[in-house]
Amino acid sequence: MQTTFKSSKWLPYLLLSPSIIIVFIFFIIPGAESLYYSFFRLNITGTKKYFVGMNNFVRLFQDSEYIGSLVLSFSFTVCVVFFGLGISLAIATVANKKLKLFNVYRTLLIWPYALSPAITGIIWALMFDPSIGVITNILERVFGITFTYFNNSTHAVIFITITATWKMLGYNIIFFLAGLQGVPGEIIEAAIIDGAGKWRSFWRVIFPLLSPTTFFLLVMNTLYAFFQLFGLLHVVTEGGPGRATYLLVYKLYRDGFISMNVGYASAQSIMLLIIVSSVMLLQFKFAERRVFYGT
Amino acid sequence: MRISRKSWSNFTSHLVMIIVVFVVLFPMVYALTVSTQTSKEYFRFPPRILPGTGSPDNYRDAWITGNLGRLLFNSSFISLTVAVGKIVLSIIAGFAFVYFDFKGKTFFFIMILITHMLPLPVRIVPTYMLMTHFGWVDTYWALTIPFFASATGTLLFRQLYMMIPTSLADASRVDGVKPMQFLWYIVVPISKTNIAALFLIEFIYIWNQYLWPLIVANAEATRVIQIGLKQLIDTDAAVDWNIVMAGTVLAMIPPLIILIVFQSSLIKGLSLAEEK
């Protein structure tokens, strides 16, 4: 590592201080407080406080609404990641050629990256509108299916899954294409000459070489499905019908800011911390392995 | 024979990509179309993809009933402020990490990295309580200052500066160039692509935020466009989809413009960031 400017003792601290102060005040302290409050029952102003030990966590696992939310969030995330990555990988594989217009396709495919989950939700709510929606009309007229995401729980979950998956599609395809174009053509040809069929050479040769890209996207999509879709729920389904689309962050918002259950909401924050940490730990371990293979 | 097979497979690739691009962009095009149609026009089936005749009315209605001028200003203001703030703070932090040797370097580095493990939902209640203590609820402060630190940005610039040849800094030092001069005249110009990429990522991230502005700044004066759309859609009567779509189109234009302008940097900058 290069360390050139040794003359000034205080300058590096001065340069770091804005970032460090903000991280400390708005990240570290509130993070620690989340943990602290999770052992208390208290009001939103923090004036009245009762120590309740592990009670908030015990309550969480007796709360059928929370268990439901936990199960929903995990299965929703698995679906969004599985379909999102599966579809994108299939498309990228079929389209993996060094074609002239690829820059144009890539430019257009990244556009949904600019849309918020809330806006995405509104547009898909229009397409799934029971009277004028394009998709609902096709489902009704062609397949005889009446799709009503706002009073059918299953339809609501399908609705948020499709909407969330669509938003990440272009992003995933671009990364898979970039990954595939990094796989040397000779390797694939060699595998085919060796008698491995296209299908086998894909899974045995190309897919392993693609694993850094796949893993990167796996992490990004998992965090996206867990943490970034609040806007979609708040604008379109409001967690409903009933509690059908109560993802974990939505449940946290309801308990913390509508019911003002500060301690209980903090316990849910700590559960989310455990989820993020697990994902990060996985990423960290894998990243290290990648470096090891690289050298 | 070989050539024709090859051109056939190229044709398939193009076909697949065109279908994919259509599927990915269709919802956006459809939103744009409906925003130009009168209620009579968009109620028709099969839907018309051609623009209708209702645009002036729809956009005017959305602008006035949604108070969109104010909301778009708020969103633009906080997105620009946070993006610039994050860029400045992460450049100087990245610079400090690479060009100085000091006590607690690793400690501070880990401290900044740890923010990755603390997304908003993990610390939302205490952060909100902090805002009430500061008197920042329903002010621009709450929407900007807490977001100024950036682990992604610090990593991005640190990575870049580690790749700048040591000789450059050595030569500058011998010539008597002060650290801050070196930062301003050498390091910042080299960072252009990364600055553009970070600007794009952060602008879009802040523009699209929902949960934090909802709980901390949902007053008329500080409300952002994302929350405003919710109000446009929450009417007692049936939803006027053409007016809602007019608002939606207005809300997605600014981040799209930023995306299109800085796109080339994004791919370069992201590949660097992903390189680790």
Side-chain angles (χ1 to χ4, degrees):
Chain A
M1 181 154 301
Q2 53 200 139
T3 45
T4 310
F5 300 105
K6 284 170 185 161
S7 51
S8 56
K9 289 254 183 292
W10 49 270
L11 188 58
Y13 295 106
L14 186 71
L15 292 171
L16 278 182
S17 58
S19 292
I20 295 297
I21 290 168
I22 284 167
V23 168
F24 191 70
I25 297 179
F26 300 108
F27 286 81
I28 310 266
I29 301 249
E33 277 177 330
S34 273
L35 182 62
Y36 177 73
Y37 291 152
S38 69
F39 299 115
F40 288 85
R41 179 171 301 156
L42 74 166
N43 57 356
I44 195 88
T45 48
T47 44
K48 287 184 190 140
K49 242 182 354 197
Y50 307 100
F51 182 77
V52 294
M54 292 298 286
N55 201 355
N56 284 323
F57 292 96
V58 174
R59 254 179 80 200
L60 273 183
F61 288 97
Q62 292 166 346
D63 178 355
S64 61
E65 199 174 287
Y66 186 74
I67 299 293
S69 173
L70 203 63
V71 171
L72 175 72
S73 280
F74 273 93
S75 27
F76 170 76
T77 303
V78 168
C79 286
V80 168
V81 170
F82 180 78
F83 290 122
L85 296 196
I87 295 169
S88 314
L89 180 59
I91 291 167
T93 309
V94 174
N96 179 31
K97 298 264 161 54
K98 290 200 166 74
L99 298 177
K100 269 184 189 160
L101 283 170
F102 256 26
N103 280 333
V104 179
Y105 299 144
R106 203 164 62 167
T107 307
L108 295 171
L109 282 178
I110 195 76
W111 280 20
Y113 176 76
L115 302 194
S116 68
I119 288 181
T120 310
I122 292 176
I123 298 177
W124 280 82
L126 163 69
M127 298 204 297
F128 277 112
D129 185 82
S131 56
I132 65 151
V134 194
I135 299 176
T136 30
N137 268 295
I138 293 172
L139 286 176
E140 181 90 59
R141 285 162 205 239
V142 181
F143 302 99
I145 302 166
T146 310
F147 193 91
T148 47
Y149 69 85
F150 47 80
N151 57 28
N152 179 317
S153 305
T154 315
H155 291 179
V157 175
I158 293 173
F159 170 79
I160 60 169
T161 308
I162 292 177
T163 307
T165 308
W166 170 82
K167 191 182 137 47
M168 286 299 270
L169 218 52
Y171 182 88
N172 292 337
I173 293 172
I174 288 171
F175 274 97
F176 272 133
L177 272 176
L180 282 169
Q181 308 217 323
V183 176
E186 304 89 62
I187 292 187
I188 303 165
E189 276 169 32
I192 290 173
I193 289 166
D194 280 352
K198 274 201 167 168
W199 183 252
R200 267 187 57 167
S201 69
F202 176 79
W203 288 112
R204 294 278 176 85
V205 182
I206 301 173
F207 191 69
L209 284 170
L210 214 56
S211 62
T213 310
T214 311
F215 195 78
F216 167 77
L217 289 175
L218 192 75
V219 170
M220 297 306 283
N221 282 265
T222 303
L223 293 176
Y224 160 80
F226 267 116
F227 291 97
Q228 289 168 22
L229 291 167
F230 178 81
L232 164 66
L233 302 179
H234 191 258
V235 167
V236 184
T237 68
E238 292 182 330
R243 304 281 184 267
T245 53
Y246 259 51
L247 295 182
L248 286 171
V249 177
Y250 197 81
K251 164 84 174 149
L252 167 63
Y253 161 77
R254 297 287 308 187
D255 287 347
F257 293 94
I258 305 296
S259 316
M260 303 278 184
N261 256 324
V262 173
Y264 196 47
S266 296
Q268 295 179 33
S269 285
I270 296 308
M271 295 298 293
L272 287 174
L273 176 65
I274 293 170
I275 294 171
V276 192
S277 312
S278 321
V279 176
M280 291 286 163
L281 205 71
L282 220 70
Q283 183 187 27
F284 189 67
K285 275 195 154 170
F286 190 86
E288 254 184 314
R289 253 179 59 192
R290 224 179 106 192
V291 173
F292 175 73
Y293 279 133
T295 49
Chain B
M1 190 62 194
R2 209 184 152 77
I3 294 163
S4 76
R5 193 198 289 162
K6 197 176 175 186
S7 67
W8 171 250
S9 97
N10 277 356
F11 173 75
T12 321
S13 293
H14 278 296
L15 193 69
V16 169
M17 286 311 279
I18 288 166
I19 293 170
V20 169
V21 168
F22 176 78
V23 169
V24 167
L25 292 191
F26 177 76
M28 297 164 85
V29 175
Y30 188 49
L32 184 66
T33 312
V34 171
S35 80
T36 67
Q37 295 177 335
T38 62
S39 52
K40 233 184 191 162
E41 287 166 338
Y42 77 76
F43 262 101
R44 216 175 300 167
F45 192 88
R48 286 159 34 113
I49 284 305
L50 294 172
T53 54
S55 341
D57 288 337
N58 296 342
Y59 282 85
R60 188 173 0 95
D61 282 358
W63 189 270
I64 294 166
T65 53
N67 192 18
L68 294 191
R70 180 75 205 189
L71 303 182
L72 287 167
F73 171 79
N74 288 343
S75 284
S76 310
F77 176 74
I78 63 159
S79 306
L80 285 173
T81 310
V82 173
V84 171
K86 271 182 188 274
I87 289 167
V88 172
L89 262 58
S90 27
I91 286 183
I92 57 176
F95 181 67
F97 281 128
V98 175
Y99 286 99
F100 296 89
D101 215 357
F102 52 95
K103 265 197 190 128
K105 194 173 184 170
T106 316
F107 173 76
F108 289 130
F109 188 60
I110 290 171
M111 202 167 151
I112 290 179
L113 277 192
I114 235 155
T115 58
H116 267 324
M117 273 165 63
L118 297 166
L120 184 67
V122 168
R123 59 195 159 83
I124 189 161
V125 177
T127 317
Y128 175 78
M129 287 160 85
L130 195 65
M131 294 299 113
T132 56
H133 281 304
F134 286 179
W136 282 8
V137 174
D138 294 334
T139 67
Y140 286 135
W141 300 113
L143 294 171
T144 51
I145 306 289
F147 296 94
F148 273 18
S150 168
T152 312
T154 307
L155 275 176
L156 197 66
F157 289 115
R158 177 177 166 272
Q159 184 68 20
L160 174 73
Y161 302 156
M162 275 164 39
M163 296 188 320
I164 300 175
T166 327
S167 53
L168 199 62
D170 284 339
S172 308
R173 195 190 46 183
V174 171
D175 287 347
V177 175
K178 295 269 185 305
M180 291 312 279
Q181 289 173 324
F182 180 70
L183 172 67
W184 185 249
Y185 292 108
I186 312 269
V187 171
V188 170
I190 288 174
S191 316
K192 254 200 210 145
T193 308
N194 287 32
I195 291 175
L198 196 62
F199 180 79
L200 165 61
I201 295 170
E202 303 298 355
F203 183 93
I204 290 176
Y205 166 66
I206 298 294
W207 184 276
N208 288 343
Q209 260 201 329
Y210 194 98
L211 178 56
W212 184 244
L214 174 72
I215 60 170
V216 91
N218 197 6
E220 196 71 32
T222 49
R223 189 173 298 137
V224 299
I225 186 73
Q226 305 290 335
I227 316 272
L229 291 179
K230 165 79 171 162
Q231 294 185 315
L232 219 50
I233 213 172
D234 276 351
T235 48
D236 296 329
V239 183
D240 290 321
W241 281 112
N242 48 352
I243 294 168
V244 171
M245 285 305 134
T248 306
V249 168
L250 290 174
M252 64 190 193
I253 284 176
L256 256 182
I257 290 175
I258 302 279
L259 180 73
I260 291 165
V261 170
F262 292 105
Q263 181 156 35
S264 57
S265 321
L266 177 75
I267 289 167
K268 269 189 245 162
L270 276 186
S271 60
L272 196 78
E274 208 220 335
E275 209 52 50
K276 222 208 92 136

